Amino acid sequence: MTNTAKFDESLRDQIISTPEMILDDQDLMNALIAANERSMGGNIVDLRGIAMERLEARLDRLEDTHRSVIAAAYENLAGTNQVHRAILRMMDPLEFETFLKDLDGEVAEILRVDAVRLVLETEQNEEDPSLRKLGSVLSVAEPGFVEGYLTRGRSVPVRQVTLRQIESGTDQIFGDKAGFVKSEACLKLDLGEGRLPGMLIMGAEDPHHFTPQQGSDLLTFFAGVFERAMRRWLS
């Protein structure tokens, strides 16, 4: 009895009529290719098989890249929505005190950070009652503090957005939360001609929340909007 006769005729007819059910099944195709290679013996180089293996490897890499691109697109979209919502929330308050308190409240929650602090360089006394009533969100510092904080005393260019991991936050800025802050985003603020610079700092307990490898386009946009809002309040 021949091999063809041993093969189930109904299954054979089905494969001949619909070969796609074999071609679309990767496991079956791999089994058939392996069987073909065994039948040819070990002394024969199957160039077609080698080419298929390379194509499969390339396809796997393309699929991984495709998934990574889609994941990055979704993450970027989510980040854009967060920043837009935070900006809309900043536009709601009608009083400066409420504006500052919202930074470490709803704005921080929208941005999913654990602390938001505003640092303003000024020669005004930090114990001034008008400053203390604004709460822990606002810190005042001597002229030159912002640049020194961003560069850590090194002779390097000052960027508008600095993302970095830290051992702990600075007490002067984060107060009681300083020990919990393990990464921060520092946004340098240009508050207008004739005014000293400021800085908005977002702190997170997660040391990987802000890292130097991350993109800063959204935070640069956020800093630009915040600068304009502060200029209006200060005027």
Side-chain angles (χ1 to χ4, degrees):
M1 187 177 292
T2 64
N3 291 335
T4 303
K6 291 180 181 179
F7 199 76
D8 186 273
E9 290 294 336
S10 62
L11 179 58
R12 181 174 181 274
D13 293 340
Q14 185 178 2
I15 292 174
I16 292 175
S17 62
T18 56
E20 294 82 7
M21 70 178 187
I22 298 293
L23 297 174
D24 293 339
D25 192 311
Q26 185 174 356
D27 293 334
L28 281 176
M29 288 298 299
N30 289 336
L32 291 173
I33 293 170
N36 182 58
E37 291 175 351
R38 288 194 300 269
S39 67
M40 291 188 300
N43 295 327
I44 299 176
V45 178
D46 184 9
L47 296 179
R48 183 178 60 179
I50 295 174
M52 289 186 65
E53 289 178 359
R54 291 179 177 177
L55 287 174
E56 287 179 358
R58 183 178 298 179
L59 179 60
D60 290 340
R61 290 195 299 269
L62 287 174
E63 288 179 346
D64 291 340
T65 301
H66 182 64
R67 284 191 291 267
S68 299
V69 170
I70 292 177
Y74 276 115
E75 184 177 352
N76 186 61
L77 179 60
T80 301
N81 290 336
Q82 281 181 314
V83 169
H84 288 173
R85 288 170 53 209
I87 289 173
L88 290 175
R89 185 67 190 93
M90 285 195 310
M91 295 172 64
D92 287 341
L94 300 177
E95 297 180 356
F96 186 57
E97 185 176 354
T98 305
F99 171 79
L100 288 182
K101 289 181 178 179
D102 280 353
L103 289 179
D104 200 38
E106 293 190 31
V107 173
E109 292 176 3
I110 292 172
L111 295 175
R112 296 179 183 176
V113 295
D114 299 295
V116 177
R117 297 291 185 266
L118 174 63
V119 179
L120 297 179
E121 290 187 1
T122 179
E123 297 178 354
Q124 191 173 355
N125 188 349
E126 187 175 356
E127 299 301 321
D128 191 304
S130 63
L131 295 177
R132 285 189 297 173
K133 75 173 184 178
L134 296 176
S136 60
V137 178
L138 176 65
S139 298
V140 295
E142 68 280 2
F145 175 84
V146 170
E147 182 172 343
Y149 187 85
L150 292 175
T151 62
R152 292 178 173 175
R154 297 173 297 174
S155 179
V156 295
V158 179
R159 296 172 293 180
Q160 185 175 19
V161 176
T162 300
L163 307 176
R164 61 193 179 192
Q165 297 167 302
I166 55 178
E167 292 185 3
S168 64
T170 305
D171 292 339
Q172 180 180 353
I173 296 174
F174 292 105
D176 296 338
K177 293 185 178 181
F180 299 99
V181 177
K182 301 300 179 183
S183 63
E184 62 183 5
C186 308
L187 283 57
K188 185 181 180 183
L189 306 174
D190 179 2
L191 301 178
E193 187 177 355
R195 295 194 180 100
L196 293 171
M199 178 172 58
L200 186 68
I201 303 182
M202 304 176 188
E205 293 185 20
D206 182 0
H208 303 290
H209 195 89
F210 297 115
T211 64
Q213 294 78 24
Q214 295 172 342
S216 59
D217 291 348
L218 287 175
L219 288 177
T220 299
F221 173 69
F222 185 85
V225 175
F226 190 85
E227 284 177 342
R228 287 158 177 78
M230 282 297 300
R231 290 170 190 170
R232 287 196 297 270
W233 287 116
L234 294 176
S235 63

